[in-house]
Amino acid sequence: MPSAQEGPTKFSTPTGVITDQWDRIALWLSTYLDTAPVVPAEQIAIDDAIARTGVSWPEELQALFRSVNGYPHDAWVPLLPSHELFDLERVIDERQVELEVWGEFAEDMDEDELSTSMAGDSAGTWLPEFVPFAGVDGNLLFVDTRPGPLYGCVTEFDKVSADDGGPQWISISALLTDVADALESGRPFAGAWTPSVVDGQLEWLYDT
């Protein structure tokens, strides 16, 4: 299980290789679950999504969508225990919703401070540089594309406390490493969620 510690991110798992970690996950899914084939996104669709967000996507974020472009509702897989994995269209939609919802709060904040903030710095609002890739009901996981040593880190965004929790993983590959480790070993993901297979479907059990 990855350690939770004081430092730049909550979990200390190092950056890996997206394709390596996804191959581990895909093998486990195909072995234990009754699921439809995974459908990746074409690079042209990824490039279009990047253009629509107007920010630079880390290579790892692009590699994630080249591996899997979300899951259709008729073959849903809860790959993450408390967030739904988005497809590209939902990335665009959810990001726009957050920009609109949080826009009024951003107007009351120090624009100079926000414009000079670095990846991983708490903003207290939703910024254009945040690219969500998973979430449910306004609680999101996003990649921080602001400049700095933590460029590409994964942060949790809460609809009440915004990004006050700080970066969770140093990168998407670190997140996927923890998912793959949990699936293969049965140990808790993020220190709290234990995977199980029930009637051919993945379920995550929260350990209080």
Side-chain angles (χ1 to χ4, degrees):
M1 180 177 69
S3 61
Q5 60 184 34
E6 292 186 3
T9 61
K10 180 177 181 179
F11 301 105
S12 61
T13 310
T15 291
V17 178
I18 288 285
T19 51
D20 290 348
Q21 304 313 317
W22 181 256
D23 285 348
R24 294 172 62 199
I25 292 170
L27 177 60
W28 189 92
L29 295 177
S30 64
T31 301
Y32 294 102
L33 303 189
D34 300 328
T35 59
V38 173
V39 179
E42 298 289 341
Q43 186 63 47
I44 189 171
I46 298 172
D47 291 340
D48 177 68
I50 293 172
R52 292 164 68 185
T53 61
V55 297
S56 173
W57 288 23
E59 170 56 28
E60 282 204 353
L61 182 57
Q62 299 183 53
L64 173 65
F65 285 101
R66 287 196 298 267
S67 299
V68 57
N69 189 25
Y71 284 99
H73 287 289
D74 60 351
W76 190 256
V77 176
L79 186 64
L80 301 172
S82 56
H83 299 88
E84 298 176 359
L85 196 63
F86 293 165
D87 61 18
L88 288 171
E89 280 302 317
R90 192 164 174 196
V91 169
I92 302 300
D93 292 345
E94 293 282 350
R95 177 177 175 274
Q96 187 58 40
V97 167
E98 298 306 318
L99 286 172
E100 294 173 0
V101 168
W102 288 86
E104 59 184 86
F105 297 100
E107 292 176 359
D108 298 328
M109 305 183 78
D110 189 323
E111 292 185 6
D112 290 336
E113 182 177 347
L114 290 178
S115 65
T116 58
S117 64
M118 306 286 279
D121 292 345
S122 178
T125 187
W126 186 269
L127 298 180
E129 293 87 355
F130 296 170
V131 182
F133 64 92
V136 63
D137 192 27
N139 299 311
L140 307 167
L141 291 176
F142 70 85
V143 171
D144 195 337
T145 70
R146 288 176 292 176
L150 292 184
Y151 170 76
C153 67
V154 174
T155 298
E156 191 166 19
F157 193 93
D158 183 271
K159 61 184 178 182
V160 175
S161 57
D163 61 341
D164 289 350
Q168 304 293 294
W169 288 272
I170 194 67
S171 63
I172 291 180
S173 62
L175 165 64
L176 293 185
T177 297
D178 284 354
V179 172
D181 287 348
L183 293 176
E184 292 177 347
S185 69
R187 293 193 300 266
F189 169 75
W193 297 91
T194 301
S196 64
V197 178
V198 179
D199 296 330
Q201 302 298 318
L202 173 62
E203 292 188 4
W204 294 92
L205 304 178
Y206 186 74
D207 183 4
T208 57

